[in-house]
Amino acid sequence: MIKNIIFDLGNVVLKLKWNIVIDRYTKDAETKKLLTEVIFESEEWKLLDLGTIEKDYALGIMLSKLPVYLHEACKGIMNEWRDALIINDKMISFLKKVRENGYKTYILSNAPHEIPPFLENNDLTQYFDGQIISAEEKVSKPDQGIYNLLLDRYDLNPEESVFLDDKLENIEAAKEANINGIVYDYNNHEKMLEELDKFDVNYR
C-alpha cells in the first residue's frame, strides 16, 4: 500500500520555461540556443544544483564561454531565472487531494540554494511534509545517496512510496532503492493518474 508520494520539482511541480527570461535579452534563435546551453545545460548549472560551487564562480565560467556582447544577458538571466519557474496548477490540485486523503508528500529535487526561499515565498512548502534539496545536501539524483537520505531522514518505507520525476534515469535509480516510480510528463498529467491507479492511490 502506498503511503508516501515523492515529488521532483522541475517539470513536475514547477514547469521550467527558460525562454521567459531568455526572451528578455534576445529573440534570435541561435543566440537563445547558445545561452540555454551555456547556462541551463552546463556543467556549472549541475554543480550549482549539487551545491559545490558558488553562483559568482559559476557565472564567471559561463561568461568565459560567451562573446562579450552576451555578458550582460548572461548576468541578467542568472539573476532572473526564478521568473521562469511556473507552478503546475494541476499538480497543486493533486497535492491538495492526496494530502486530504491521508498521504504524506515529500520533495526530492536537484536544485540550487535559491529554491527553498522560492518555495517559501510562493507558499508551496505547505503542501509537503519534508524536502530534500540537492544543493543543501551535496548529493544529487541519480546518486543512490540522495534516495537513502530521504528514506532515512523521514523514516519512509520505500515499498510504501512512489516517486514522480520527469527523467527516466532518476526513476530507475529510485527503483534500485526499492522506491516505486513513475516518469511524469508535464504535458500529460492524466497519464500519471492512470499509472497511480495501478498502485491504488486515492487522488479523487
Side-chain angles (χ1 to χ4, degrees), residues 1-202:
M1 176 187 293
I2 296 298
K3 297 180 180 179
N4 315 301
I5 306 176
I6 306 162
F7 297 76
D8 179 30
L9 289 176
N11 289 325
V12 179
V13 177
L14 305 170
K15 178 67 173 177
L16 308 180
K17 296 186 71 69
W18 303 131
N19 278 350
I20 288 176
V21 290
I22 293 176
D23 284 352
R24 294 172 182 172
Y25 296 92
T26 181
K27 302 296 184 186
D28 178 73
E30 286 301 313
T31 304
K32 287 164 63 171
K33 181 173 181 290
L34 176 61
L35 288 168
T36 301
E37 291 173 352
V38 169
I39 300 173
F40 301 115
E41 296 174 1
S42 67
E43 188 63 27
E44 291 71 45
W45 192 262
K46 292 178 183 177
L47 295 176
L48 287 170
D49 278 354
L50 192 55
T52 56
I53 62 173
E54 297 296 326
K55 182 177 177 180
D56 287 346
Y57 180 76
L59 177 60
I61 296 174
M62 292 172 184
L63 293 176
S64 73
K65 299 176 183 178
L66 291 168
V68 173
Y69 76 91
L70 288 178
H71 283 195
E72 290 306 311
C74 183
K75 292 175 185 177
I77 292 165
M78 284 294 285
N79 283 329
E80 301 164 17
W81 66 268
R82 289 175 300 283
D83 293 348
L85 306 180
I86 306 301
I87 296 170
N88 182 355
D89 291 333
K90 288 184 178 180
M91 192 58 85
I92 297 303
S93 296
F94 172 79
L95 273 158
K96 290 177 180 177
K97 181 55 68 174
V98 293
R99 288 175 64 81
E100 286 174 5
N101 292 341
Y103 294 92
K104 296 292 187 179
T105 55
Y106 301 90
I107 293 170
L108 180 63
S109 183
N110 290 353
H113 286 294
E114 290 97 331
I115 284 297
F118 175 89
L119 298 175
E120 289 280 355
N121 293 339
N122 288 276
D123 297 322
L124 294 176
T125 53
Q126 65 179 306
Y127 302 117
F128 300 97
D129 297 288
Q131 64 185 41
I132 299 291
I133 302 295
S134 59
E136 296 185 331
E137 311 296 344
K138 303 297 190 290
V139 61
S140 60
K141 299 174 293 184
D143 189 306
Q144 282 294 301
I146 198 168
Y147 300 93
N148 293 329
L149 180 63
L150 174 77
L151 297 174
D152 292 344
R153 182 169 296 172
Y154 298 107
D155 194 25
L156 305 183
N157 181 337
E159 295 176 356
E160 295 176 345
S161 307
V162 61
F163 179 41
L164 310 176
D165 192 288
D166 65 314
K167 294 183 179 178
L168 177 59
E169 64 179 1
N170 294 337
I171 293 300
E172 290 176 340
K175 290 179 178 178
E176 288 180 23
N178 295 316
I179 302 170
N180 301 289
I182 295 172
V183 178
Y184 182 74
D185 179 355
Y186 193 98
N187 296 309
N188 192 354
H189 184 81
E190 289 67 30
K191 183 174 183 293
M192 176 201 73
L193 301 180
E194 292 172 6
E195 293 287 330
L196 286 172
D197 284 338
K198 299 175 185 177
F199 295 105
D200 293 322
V201 171
N202 180 12

